[in-house]
Amino acid sequence: GGREHSLIWKLSQSERVASVYAAPGNPGISAEPGVTNVPLNVEKHADVVAFCKEKGIDMVLVGPEIPLVAGLADDLEAAGIPTWGPKKDAAALEGSKSFMKDICRKYNIPTATYEKFTDPVAAKSFIKELGAPIVVKANGLAAGKGVVVAQTLEEAYAAVDDMMTSQIFGIAGSEVVVEEFLEGEEASFFALVDGEAVVPLISAQDHKYAYDGDVGPMTGGMGTYTPAPVFTDAIEKQVMDEIMHRTARAMASEGKPFRGTLFAGLMIKDGKAKLLEHNVRFGDPECQSLMARLDSDLGDAMLSAAERKLDKVSLSWSNSSAVTVVMAAKGYPGSYKKGTPIRGLEAASQSAKIFHAGTALDASGQLVANGGRVLNVTALGADVAEAQAKAYQAVKQVQWDDAYYRNDIAWRAIARMTKA
């Protein structure tokens, strides 16, 4: 996807990286220098291990959460292949929302009041007690779509029925977490973690709602920008002390040491952050904006981290702002068409970097859409307004009739600038 394309784009620039294999990759990824797509089924761990041994792979960087929750890192490490990404028991921080919330409760990590349920009647009783607005979450993985922010009790009851009775997210909804609605402004923060060692990265802000003005259904993310002005130095210190370090120490105490990229989804109000969710990998599409601003050698950093030398890792970042606009297929996050042609990327690439998320080549070699989120258009600027202008300039040069995108990515930062 787009996250993996951005990581590979950065890895391919590294002095320490001779070649990169992407499984399964996409047309945009294979166009990067020194990169080869490999038609591996990452669900078949033995095949991935065999390929790594055959090619003499020095490090595996696992991009998405599903293989981590399924234990791919365990099997690679057991075969002696250095891997960046947590083992299965630590990946439960993302794989099970109830596990993550229980860790927060046990280790005093600031988060919303919650309860977890396997009985829909009990879940609805708690919803009635807490009142609306309220948040209902499918416990398992649901591609970023398993969260409903219900404005009324009826919406919350319907979410419970959808997840637990109709099972719209399959087994992921057999247990739900119901939590209080937190007001404030969201931000994303990232760190590299090895046991109790934590190296902070930088902040970003995602746009989860499908439509302009932050309305509509939840998505995997429609665009990001970095840095996030709401994430001040004081908040970074609080987040490092009360969330990132406490989580790392908690997982070590539980006998499930975390080793990989730890993502904290945050709600910030009155100068204090609370944890909405942990992810166990780089965010998508936050990663695309982060990689655009990263000045350091990613290959060197990842290899050092995978070799248990996190103390040697120090990353430097551009002072520029970055904005990423997601171009999705019309209908996303619901049903959408595949196979629609995309042209004009060469012209669009003059003002931005185009990361491929869901693309393919048809039988004639024409680039076509092959997913819900299809292209990620990332631009740098001296400030967020310039980065936003360059990103949308590129978006408008993409010739794709079936495209849908938000027109207001980074609106909060722009509003701050206008106000100032």
Side-chain angles (χ1 to χ4, degrees), residues 324-327 348 351-352 354 375-378 388-400 403-407:
T324 297
V325 178
V326 171
M327 300 185 72
S351 61
I354 315 290
L375 297 171
N376 310 145
V377 180
T378 302
Q388 184 201 53
K390 288 167 70 176
Y392 280 110
Q393 177 188 339
V395 164
K396 287 174 171 55
Q397 289 177 298
V398 175
Q399 298 165 28
W400 175 29
Y404 170 73
Y405 54 88
R406 282 183 55 163
N407 294 282

Side-chain angles (χ1 to χ4, degrees), residues 58-60 77 82-84 194 259 301-310:
D58 294 302
M59 183 199 72
V60 175
E77 291 277 357
T83 303
W84 187 248
D194 186 358
R259 195 158 158 266
M302 291 289 93
L303 284 162
S304 296
E307 292 164 358
R308 302 290 176 93
K309 298 173 184 172
L310 198 56

